[in-house]
Tab-separated table of all heavy atoms in Angstrom:
chain	number	residue	atom	x	y	z
A	581	LEU	N	3.897	-15.813	51.431
A	581	LEU	CA	4.695	-15.310	50.319
A	581	LEU	C	5.804	-16.298	49.972
A	581	LEU	O	6.061	-16.569	48.789
A	581	LEU	CB	5.285	-13.945	50.669
A	581	LEU	CG	6.249	-13.338	49.636
A	581	LEU	CD1	5.538	-13.101	48.309
A	581	LEU	CD2	6.851	-12.031	50.164
A	582	GLN	N	6.448	-16.850	51.001
A	582	GLN	CA	7.552	-17.776	50.759
A	582	GLN	C	7.079	-19.019	50.018
A	582	GLN	O	7.730	-19.493	49.087
A	582	GLN	CB	8.205	-18.172	52.077
A	582	GLN	CG	9.514	-18.927	51.912
A	582	GLN	CD	10.585	-18.088	51.242
A	582	GLN	OE1	10.939	-17.032	51.735
A	582	GLN	NE2	11.076	-18.541	50.100
A	583	GLU	N	5.922	-19.562	50.435
A	583	GLU	CA	5.419	-20.752	49.752
A	583	GLU	C	5.082	-20.430	48.299
A	583	GLU	O	5.419	-21.211	47.389
A	583	GLU	CB	4.167	-21.291	50.448
A	583	GLU	CG	3.622	-22.554	49.759
A	583	GLU	CD	2.264	-22.998	50.285
A	583	GLU	OE1	1.641	-22.232	51.061
A	583	GLU	OE2	1.819	-24.090	49.888
A	584	PHE	N	4.452	-19.309	48.087
A	584	PHE	CA	4.067	-18.961	46.722
A	584	PHE	C	5.296	-18.782	45.829
A	584	PHE	O	5.342	-19.280	44.699
A	584	PHE	CB	3.221	-17.684	46.728
A	584	PHE	CG	2.648	-17.324	45.382
A	584	PHE	CD1	1.884	-18.221	44.667
A	584	PHE	CD2	2.889	-16.071	44.820
A	584	PHE	CE1	1.354	-17.890	43.421
A	584	PHE	CE2	2.377	-15.728	43.581
A	584	PHE	CZ	1.603	-16.645	42.877
A	585	LEU	N	6.312	-18.099	46.330
A	585	LEU	CA	7.522	-17.897	45.536
A	585	LEU	C	8.216	-19.227	45.255
A	585	LEU	O	8.739	-19.434	44.151
A	585	LEU	CB	8.474	-16.945	46.262
A	585	LEU	CG	7.982	-15.498	46.429
A	585	LEU	CD1	9.007	-14.678	47.188
A	585	LEU	CD2	7.669	-14.850	45.086
A	586	ASN	N	8.215	-20.123	46.220
A	586	ASN	CA	8.828	-21.435	45.996
A	586	ASN	C	8.071	-22.228	44.925
A	586	ASN	O	8.671	-22.953	44.115
A	586	ASN	CB	8.876	-22.227	47.304
A	586	ASN	CG	9.950	-21.706	48.251
A	586	ASN	OD1	10.907	-21.061	47.821
A	586	ASN	ND2	9.784	-21.968	49.542
A	587	VAL	N	6.753	-22.090	44.924
A	587	VAL	CA	5.948	-22.774	43.910
A	587	VAL	C	6.255	-22.205	42.522
A	587	VAL	O	6.382	-22.950	41.545
A	587	VAL	CB	4.444	-22.635	44.247
A	587	VAL	CG1	3.597	-22.958	43.019
A	587	VAL	CG2	4.072	-23.554	45.400
A	588	VAL	N	6.376	-20.887	42.455
A	588	VAL	CA	6.737	-20.265	41.170
A	588	VAL	C	8.102	-20.762	40.714
A	588	VAL	O	8.297	-21.111	39.545
A	588	VAL	CB	6.729	-18.724	41.293
A	588	VAL	CG1	7.244	-18.089	39.998
A	588	VAL	CG2	5.328	-18.206	41.602
A	589	ARG	N	9.052	-20.834	41.651
A	589	ARG	CA	10.407	-21.307	41.305
A	589	ARG	C	10.386	-22.757	40.825
A	589	ARG	O	11.242	-23.165	40.022
A	589	ARG	CB	11.317	-21.181	42.525
A	589	ARG	CG	11.666	-19.739	42.888
A	589	ARG	CD	12.320	-19.632	44.248
A	589	ARG	NE	12.577	-18.237	44.609
A	589	ARG	CZ	12.432	-17.730	45.828
A	589	ARG	NH1	12.033	-18.514	46.836
A	589	ARG	NH2	12.683	-16.459	46.048
A	590	SER	N	9.419	-23.518	41.275
A	590	SER	CA	9.340	-24.925	40.853
A	590	SER	C	8.650	-25.082	39.504
A	590	SER	O	8.455	-26.202	39.044
A	590	SER	CB	8.567	-25.727	41.907
A	590	SER	OG	7.166	-25.457	41.826
A	591	ASN	N	8.278	-23.962	38.885
A	591	ASN	CA	7.530	-23.978	37.620
A	591	ASN	C	6.163	-24.628	37.810
A	591	ASN	O	5.699	-25.392	36.994
A	591	ASN	CB	8.325	-24.690	36.515
A	591	ASN	CG	7.831	-24.340	35.122
A	591	ASN	OD1	7.199	-23.305	34.899
A	591	ASN	ND2	8.117	-25.207	34.163
A	592	TRP	N	5.545	-24.293	38.977
A	592	TRP	CA	4.194	-24.733	39.309
A	592	TRP	C	4.096	-26.264	39.422
A	592	TRP	O	3.084	-26.866	39.051
A	592	TRP	CB	3.176	-24.222	38.291
A	592	TRP	CG	3.288	-22.757	38.015
A	592	TRP	CD1	3.887	-22.174	36.949
A	592	TRP	CD2	2.789	-21.682	38.832
A	592	TRP	NE1	3.799	-20.797	37.033
A	592	TRP	CE2	3.127	-20.465	38.185
A	592	TRP	CE3	2.091	-21.618	40.046
A	592	TRP	CZ2	2.792	-19.215	38.694
A	592	TRP	CZ3	1.761	-20.375	40.553
A	592	TRP	CH2	2.107	-19.193	39.889
A	593	ALA	N	5.119	-26.872	39.951
A	593	ALA	CA	5.157	-28.337	40.036
A	593	ALA	C	4.234	-28.855	41.137
A	593	ALA	O	3.973	-28.187	42.138
A	593	ALA	CB	6.587	-28.808	40.304
A	594	GLY	N	3.745	-30.074	40.951
A	594	GLY	CA	2.961	-30.769	41.968
A	594	GLY	C	1.530	-30.288	42.072
A	594	GLY	O	1.112	-29.313	41.437
A	595	LYS	N	0.800	-30.990	42.912
A	595	LYS	CA	-0.622	-30.679	43.093
A	595	LYS	C	-0.804	-29.287	43.675
A	595	LYS	O	-1.676	-28.526	43.228
A	595	LYS	CB	-1.252	-31.730	44.010
A	595	LYS	CG	-2.745	-31.526	44.214
A	595	LYS	CD	-3.333	-32.633	45.081
A	595	LYS	CE	-4.830	-32.416	45.310
A	595	LYS	NZ	-5.415	-33.481	46.163
A	596	ARG	N	0.007	-28.946	44.668
A	596	ARG	CA	-0.109	-27.630	45.274
A	596	ARG	C	0.266	-26.543	44.265
A	596	ARG	O	-0.361	-25.476	44.224
A	596	ARG	CB	0.799	-27.541	46.506
A	596	ARG	CG	0.757	-26.209	47.254
A	596	ARG	CD	-0.619	-25.895	47.805
A	596	ARG	NE	-0.579	-24.764	48.733
A	596	ARG	CZ	-1.652	-24.099	49.148
A	596	ARG	NH1	-2.865	-24.457	48.728
A	596	ARG	NH2	-1.531	-23.088	50.000
A	597	GLY	N	1.259	-26.835	43.461
A	597	GLY	CA	1.654	-25.875	42.447
A	597	GLY	C	0.540	-25.590	41.465
A	597	GLY	O	0.289	-24.433	41.098
A	598	GLN	N	-0.137	-26.639	41.018
A	598	GLN	CA	-1.241	-26.458	40.090
A	598	GLN	C	-2.412	-25.728	40.739
A	598	GLN	O	-3.082	-24.889	40.105
A	598	GLN	CB	-1.694	-27.813	39.541
A	598	GLN	CG	-0.708	-28.433	38.564
A	598	GLN	CD	-0.474	-27.546	37.352
A	598	GLN	OE1	-1.394	-27.201	36.618
A	598	GLN	NE2	0.785	-27.157	37.154
A	599	GLU	N	-2.639	-26.034	41.993
A	599	GLU	CA	-3.731	-25.364	42.719
A	599	GLU	C	-3.466	-23.868	42.813
A	599	GLU	O	-4.350	-23.038	42.526
A	599	GLU	CB	-3.865	-25.959	44.112
A	599	GLU	CG	-4.905	-25.256	44.971
A	599	GLU	CD	-4.881	-25.730	46.424
A	599	GLU	OE1	-4.256	-26.773	46.710
A	599	GLU	OE2	-5.476	-25.042	47.267
A	600	LEU	N	-2.236	-23.500	43.192
A	600	LEU	CA	-1.918	-22.078	43.329
A	600	LEU	C	-1.854	-21.387	41.968
A	600	LEU	O	-2.180	-20.199	41.856
A	600	LEU	CB	-0.593	-21.912	44.073
A	600	LEU	CG	-0.613	-22.309	45.557
A	600	LEU	CD1	0.749	-22.092	46.202
A	600	LEU	CD2	-1.685	-21.516	46.317
A	601	ARG	N	-1.470	-22.121	40.946
A	601	ARG	CA	-1.463	-21.518	39.613
A	601	ARG	C	-2.888	-21.170	39.190
A	601	ARG	O	-3.138	-20.097	38.611
A	601	ARG	CB	-0.829	-22.459	38.592
A	601	ARG	CG	-0.793	-21.872	37.178
A	601	ARG	CD	-0.024	-22.735	36.206
A	601	ARG	NE	0.026	-22.106	34.896
A	601	ARG	CZ	-0.832	-22.336	33.909
A	601	ARG	NH1	-1.818	-23.241	34.066
A	601	ARG	NH2	-0.730	-21.694	32.761
A	602	MET	N	-3.843	-22.044	39.451
A	602	MET	CA	-5.226	-21.753	39.100
A	602	MET	C	-5.738	-20.534	39.872
A	602	MET	O	-6.476	-19.700	39.314
A	602	MET	CB	-6.106	-22.970	39.396
A	602	MET	CG	-5.856	-24.166	38.480
A	602	MET	SD	-6.178	-23.792	36.719
A	602	MET	CE	-4.486	-23.605	36.115
A	603	ARG	N	-5.317	-20.428	41.112
A	603	ARG	CA	-5.727	-19.263	41.893
A	603	ARG	C	-5.056	-17.993	41.359
A	603	ARG	O	-5.670	-16.920	41.353
A	603	ARG	CB	-5.380	-19.474	43.364
A	603	ARG	CG	-6.147	-20.615	44.051
A	603	ARG	CD	-7.653	-20.324	44.096
A	603	ARG	NE	-7.970	-19.225	44.976
A	603	ARG	CZ	-8.320	-19.348	46.264
A	603	ARG	NH1	-8.396	-20.569	46.795
A	603	ARG	NH2	-8.603	-18.289	47.001
A	604	ALA	N	-3.800	-18.124	40.932
A	604	ALA	CA	-3.104	-16.964	40.358
A	604	ALA	C	-3.792	-16.505	39.075
A	604	ALA	O	-3.948	-15.300	38.830
A	604	ALA	CB	-1.646	-17.309	40.088
A	605	LEU	N	-4.209	-17.457	38.263
A	605	LEU	CA	-4.881	-17.112	37.019
A	605	LEU	C	-6.246	-16.475	37.260
A	605	LEU	O	-6.794	-15.794	36.387
A	605	LEU	CB	-5.038	-18.351	36.138
A	605	LEU	CG	-3.748	-18.929	35.550
A	605	LEU	CD1	-4.015	-20.249	34.841
A	605	LEU	CD2	-3.110	-17.928	34.583
A	606	ALA	N	-6.814	-16.709	38.429
A	606	ALA	CA	-8.112	-16.133	38.777
A	606	ALA	C	-7.988	-14.777	39.463
A	606	ALA	O	-8.990	-14.126	39.739
A	606	ALA	CB	-8.886	-17.103	39.673
A	607	ALA	N	-6.750	-14.362	39.750
A	607	ALA	CA	-6.514	-13.085	40.442
A	607	ALA	C	-6.760	-11.914	39.484
A	607	ALA	O	-6.848	-12.092	38.262
A	607	ALA	CB	-5.088	-13.055	40.972
A	608	PRO	N	-6.864	-10.699	40.001
A	608	PRO	CA	-6.974	-9.531	39.122
A	608	PRO	C	-5.814	-9.477	38.148
A	608	PRO	O	-4.690	-9.904	38.456
A	608	PRO	CB	-6.928	-8.353	40.110
A	608	PRO	CG	-7.470	-8.914	41.382
A	608	PRO	CD	-6.960	-10.331	41.439
A	609	TYR	N	-6.069	-8.975	36.952
A	609	TYR	CA	-5.027	-8.908	35.924
A	609	TYR	C	-5.249	-7.672	35.069
A	609	TYR	O	-6.359	-7.127	35.003
A	609	TYR	CB	-5.046	-10.168	35.056
A	609	TYR	CG	-6.307	-10.344	34.246
A	609	TYR	CD1	-6.424	-9.818	32.954
A	609	TYR	CD2	-7.406	-11.013	34.777
A	609	TYR	CE1	-7.582	-9.975	32.226
A	609	TYR	CE2	-8.578	-11.161	34.048
A	609	TYR	CZ	-8.656	-10.636	32.770
A	609	TYR	OH	-9.815	-10.772	32.050
A	610	TRP	N	-4.179	-7.252	34.416
A	610	TRP	CA	-4.280	-6.100	33.540
A	610	TRP	C	-5.242	-6.409	32.391
A	610	TRP	O	-5.094	-7.401	31.684
A	610	TRP	CB	-2.917	-5.720	32.983
A	610	TRP	CG	-3.020	-4.877	31.745
A	610	TRP	CD1	-2.547	-5.168	30.511
A	610	TRP	CD2	-3.687	-3.616	31.630
A	610	TRP	NE1	-2.881	-4.183	29.625
A	610	TRP	CE2	-3.582	-3.212	30.285
A	610	TRP	CE3	-4.381	-2.800	32.528
A	610	TRP	CZ2	-4.129	-2.013	29.815
A	610	TRP	CZ3	-4.933	-1.618	32.057
A	610	TRP	CH2	-4.804	-1.233	30.732
A	611	GLY	N	-6.245	-5.532	32.238
A	611	GLY	CA	-7.241	-5.696	31.194
A	611	GLY	C	-8.601	-6.107	31.718
A	611	GLY	O	-9.559	-6.184	30.948
A	612	ASP	N	-8.695	-6.366	33.044
A	612	ASP	CA	-9.988	-6.801	33.597
A	612	ASP	C	-10.894	-5.634	33.953
A	612	ASP	O	-12.038	-5.832	34.368
A	612	ASP	CB	-9.781	-7.704	34.804
A	612	ASP	CG	-9.115	-6.997	35.992
A	612	ASP	OD1	-8.874	-5.773	35.914
A	612	ASP	OD2	-8.821	-7.675	36.996
A	613	GLY	N	-10.390	-4.421	33.802
A	613	GLY	CA	-11.201	-3.239	34.085
A	613	GLY	C	-11.300	-2.893	35.551
A	613	GLY	O	-11.975	-1.922	35.912
A	614	GLY	N	-10.629	-3.643	36.421
A	614	GLY	CA	-10.719	-3.404	37.848
A	614	GLY	C	-9.768	-2.329	38.344
A	614	GLY	O	-8.774	-1.992	37.685
A	615	LYS	N	-10.042	-1.814	39.523
A	615	LYS	CA	-9.233	-0.744	40.097
A	615	LYS	C	-7.840	-1.223	40.476
A	615	LYS	O	-6.867	-0.469	40.394
A	615	LYS	CB	-9.934	-0.157	41.318
A	615	LYS	CG	-11.219	0.593	41.009
A	615	LYS	CD	-11.823	1.187	42.269
A	615	LYS	CE	-13.104	1.970	41.956
A	615	LYS	NZ	-13.715	2.539	43.186
Side-chain angles (χ1 to χ4, degrees):
L581 175 62
Q582 191 63 58
E583 181 189 10
F584 186 55
L585 294 179
N586 286 338
V587 163
V588 174
R589 289 168 183 141
S590 75
N591 199 22
W592 310 100
K595 182 177 179 180
R596 181 62 169 165
Q598 288 300 302
E599 176 188 346
L600 291 181
R601 180 173 182 266
M602 291 299 103
R603 295 296 292 266
L605 291 173
Y609 65 90
W610 160 240
D612 65 4
K615 293 182 179 179

